[in-house]
Amino acid sequence: MIITNFSKQRNEFKESKVLKAKPHWQGQNLSDTAVKGKDTKMRDPAPDSSILNNLNRGRVAIFIDGLSLFHTALQLGIEIDYVKLLCHLTSGSRLLRAFFYTGVDISNEKQQGFLLWMRRNGYRVVAKELVVPAENFKKSNLNVEIAVDMITLAPYYDTAVLVSGDGDLAYAVNAVSRMGVRVEVVSLQTTTSESLIDVADCFIDLDSIKTHIQKDSNLGYSYRTSSNSNL
């Protein structure tokens, strides 16, 4: 894994907050290399699996921009295994919540089945109905929802993992950083805004961890739609 780690002077992680404990996700070790110094963005080719595993990340909250991750997976030529992704991003730390933000087409039963599966497998899905603008194609933007959740939940977690490369989220990242939160940004380096990388404590290139989070070719998920769910 390729990681750019920006060391900042911080106090010890905040005292434990009163909030219902969430399950512990035990995932694969993050094989990564940390490089200290914000101005030094050199990469060490020798991976070190102990970097994040030995780091006291405290309680972790994960914020995933679903549309951004979808397009990144297309560029990488992989299909994401969301169980592997959750385990890998948690990396044995205590998980508060994992949010998945996405636009939703209520007439798309396949997507509804996928989102149902996500809710049943550790994710809190935040969905916004897709709109059709003048350009006549559907799109959605959930940056406001991501920013609000990151800031309002900041007192309850110690490390934020943001899966997005959108520079519009840099202000929210900077805001939670000032509150004492460590922020790790996970995205494709070639499409990630420099302004977002600059305010993060750690940047992880998705290209460097794709083998750990992609779906096995011989396995598949059975996403149930609303029509065949027994709920």
Side-chain angles (χ1 to χ4, degrees), residues 8 28 45 59 62 74 80 102-103 141 168 170 179 197 204:
K8 296 182 180 179
Q28 300 181 36
R59 185 174 284 190
I62 300 172
L74 287 179
I80 301 293
T102 184
N141 188 319
D168 290 342
M179 298 171 70
I197 296 177
I204 302 174

Side-chain angles (χ1 to χ4, degrees), residues 66-134:
L67 183 60
S68 174
L69 183 58
F70 173 76
H71 287 298
T72 297
L74 287 179
Q75 292 186 49
L76 294 175
I78 65 172
E79 188 173 357
I80 301 293
D81 184 320
Y82 287 93
V83 171
K84 288 183 178 180
L85 177 68
L86 185 56
C87 291
H88 200 75
L89 296 180
T90 306
S91 189
S93 299
R94 188 176 184 186
L95 179 64
L96 175 68
R97 284 195 183 116
F99 293 93
F100 183 82
Y101 302 85
T102 184
V104 61
D105 182 352
I106 59 176
S107 64
N108 188 331
E109 285 200 359
K110 183 178 180 180
Q111 184 187 44
Q112 294 300 315
F114 167 71
L115 295 180
L116 174 62
W117 183 93
M118 292 287 282
R119 293 185 181 98
R120 299 255 179 106
N121 286 272
Y123 290 91
R124 179 70 60 89
V125 175
V126 179
K128 178 189 288 187
E129 187 173 353
L130 292 168
V131 296
V132 182

Side-chain angles (χ1 to χ4, degrees), residues 63 99 101 126 141-154 157 162 168-176 179:
F63 306 88
F99 293 93
Y101 302 85
V126 179
N141 188 319
L142 284 93
N143 284 345
V144 171
E145 288 80 356
I146 295 174
V148 169
D149 287 345
M150 288 185 70
I151 293 171
T152 56
L153 285 175
Y157 63 83
L162 174 63
D168 290 342
L169 292 169
Y171 190 86
V173 168
N174 202 35
V176 298
M179 298 171 70

